[in-house]
Amino acid sequence: MSFLIVSPGRDPKPWLEALKNQHPGLNIYVYPEDHDKEEVEFALAWNHPRGLFKNYPNLKVVASMGAGVDHITSDRELPENIKITRVVDQQLTTDMSDFVLAQVMDHVRRLSYYKAQQVEKSWNRKPYKRPKNTTVGIMGIGVLGSAVGEKLAKNGFNVLGWAKSSKDKKDINTYCGKEGLEEFLPQVEILVCLLPLTSKTENILNRDLFDQLPEGAYVINVARGEHLVEQDLLRMIGSGHLSGAALDVFREEPLPEDHPFWTEPKIHITPHIASVTKASSVVPQIIENYERLQDDEPLKNVVERDKGY
Ligand code: GLV
């Protein structure tokens, strides 16, 4: 059986090298080089061309190169029998929680604001809030959301969580469902989105939701650009209801030069860098699943296809 890497727009070389190091006998093709489609049983993918995998009659698994799987689940032509796996990686999780903590601290201590002031040689001291007086709400209490919540709680913040179904978490008081969301939002001063992208969560960061946040709330999106209704964010910042946002993900990446986010001083843009998968760290779990497939054993980190995560 053969292994296929499909990652247009993302360099496959580190993945190829790490796979070869870990499993020297593996027969690997890199799309679109010439290969026999019938041989391929396992694919490693990032943003594959839509409909590609229906042409592989023996394909059993599509493994995501990252934690997100929306780039795979959104392919309507992906045959039902193909299993999808995602990455669960300690380094990726730590990187995400470090990044969100940094953004939250930047906001409460106004570091970016003072950086902008420096350009104008302006000495303008503002009051600041301490972590113990600040409530951060995390939407999406999966592997990443839980780790982010724990790190924020360790750093003294009050942490609330919201998830589709109920979760029991030590440091995070978690709400669930539609009613839970109505209780959760009015308490949240800094909202962090770490939801998976599904048809139910697309456009969830919209005017209606922002309206329920207290005046002056701040939004951090480190999930997917499609969670956010961009015009609604701009309007709510313009009206002063939201104090600003830190965005790491966008509907179109790289963010187009003429996009209004670039020139909104209250929006802090980072280029999808919160937590980047490192091939050498992730390849062992990919190989483990490849071997599990060969031995007919259950795979790890399988996505529930009907849920989309
Ligand atoms: C990155 O966005 C990922 O899903 O790993």
Side-chain angles (χ1 to χ4, degrees):
M1 93 168 162
S2 298
F3 194 105
L4 178 70
I5 303 178
V6 190
S7 61
R10 190 162 175 166
D11 184 10
K13 260 196 242 105
W15 294 89
L16 189 59
E17 272 164 30
L19 284 163
K20 285 200 163 142
N21 277 342
Q22 170 103 14
H23 197 309
L26 201 60
N27 187 30
I28 311 173
Y29 297 119
V30 178
Y31 180 86
E33 77 180 328
D34 207 23
H35 60 280
D36 182 351
K37 294 189 175 60
E38 296 207 354
E39 273 179 34
V40 175
E41 289 189 33
F42 200 111
L44 177 62
W46 191 262
N47 284 335
H48 67 277
R50 310 290 78 182
L52 177 77
F53 293 129
K54 68 172 187 288
N55 305 318
Y56 289 76
N58 297 313
L59 183 63
K60 309 239 171 10
V61 181
V62 178
S64 172
M65 281 182 171
V69 290
D70 46 289
H71 57 103
I72 305 172
T73 53
S74 59
D75 182 352
R76 302 261 165 262
E77 293 173 89
L78 187 74
E80 281 298 316
N81 63 310
I82 293 180
K83 289 202 159 53
I84 301 171
T85 65
R86 69 200 166 100
V87 164
V88 176
D89 178 56
Q90 189 50 54
Q91 191 59 60
L92 199 67
T93 309
T94 304
D95 289 355
M96 180 58 85
S97 48
D98 286 348
F99 184 86
V100 174
L101 175 64
Q103 289 288 16
V104 168
M105 289 305 298
D106 180 286
H107 175 63
V108 292
R109 299 311 306 267
R110 303 179 190 267
L111 300 182
S112 294
Y113 169 79
Y114 291 122
K115 186 79 199 160
Q117 277 207 136
Q118 186 179 339
V119 178
E120 287 160 19
K121 301 185 179 157
S122 159
W123 183 276
N124 182 14
R125 301 166 85 213
K126 292 231 182 197
Y128 56 86
K129 277 184 88 170
R130 299 192 167 80
K132 64 177 182 193
N133 300 321
T134 307
T135 301
V136 184
I138 301 168
M139 294 182 79
I141 301 295
V143 175
L144 298 177
S146 307
V148 166
E150 278 161 28
K151 188 161 285 181
L152 289 167
K154 274 201 191 97
N155 281 275
F157 290 92
N158 301 314
V159 182
L160 304 179
W162 179 80
K164 210 175 109 208
S165 48
S166 80
K167 305 259 168 172
D168 199 12
K169 296 280 164 192
K170 190 164 67 71
D171 292 324
I172 315 170
N173 187 2
T174 302
Y175 297 79
C176 77
K178 201 168 172 306
E179 275 169 28
L181 191 60
E182 285 169 13
E183 268 183 80
F184 164 84
L185 291 169
Q187 305 177 64
V188 170
E189 297 167 281
I190 301 176
L191 182 73
V192 179
C193 179
L194 264 165
L195 288 164
L197 179 64
T198 67
S199 56
K200 296 210 169 70
T201 64
E202 189 172 357
N203 298 327
I204 194 167
L205 301 177
N206 59 31
R207 192 198 155 123
D208 203 42
L209 179 143
F210 295 146
D211 252 337
Q212 297 175 67
L213 292 170
E215 182 92 20
Y218 190 73
V219 175
I220 298 176
N221 189 14
V222 276
R224 285 289 181 262
E226 289 84 352
H227 287 120
L228 175 68
V229 180
E230 299 183 336
Q231 283 308 321
D232 287 2
L233 179 74
L234 286 167
R235 272 192 215 109
M236 294 304 247
I237 290 176
S239 74
H241 181 70
L242 294 178
S243 58
L247 306 177
D248 187 55
V249 289
F250 303 90
R251 285 179 185 262
E252 193 181 341
E253 295 180 5
L255 186 65
E257 248 177 65
D258 59 354
H259 197 288
F261 284 171
W262 284 116
T263 46
E264 170 49 70
K266 292 183 176 155
I267 293 183
H268 184 168
I269 293 169
T270 49
H272 202 146
I273 201 71
S275 142
V276 177
T277 20
K278 194 162 172 245
S280 57
S281 166
V282 166
V283 154
Q285 64 183 267
I286 305 287
I287 292 291
E288 183 181 346
N289 265 347
Y290 175 82
E291 285 170 349
R292 283 171 169 265
L293 178 70
Q294 283 186 314
D295 298 342
D296 235 352
E297 281 177 31
L299 304 183
K300 288 191 169 170
N301 305 323
V302 176
V303 169
E304 288 184 45
R305 284 195 58 173
D306 52 336
K307 280 196 188 164
Y309 57 92

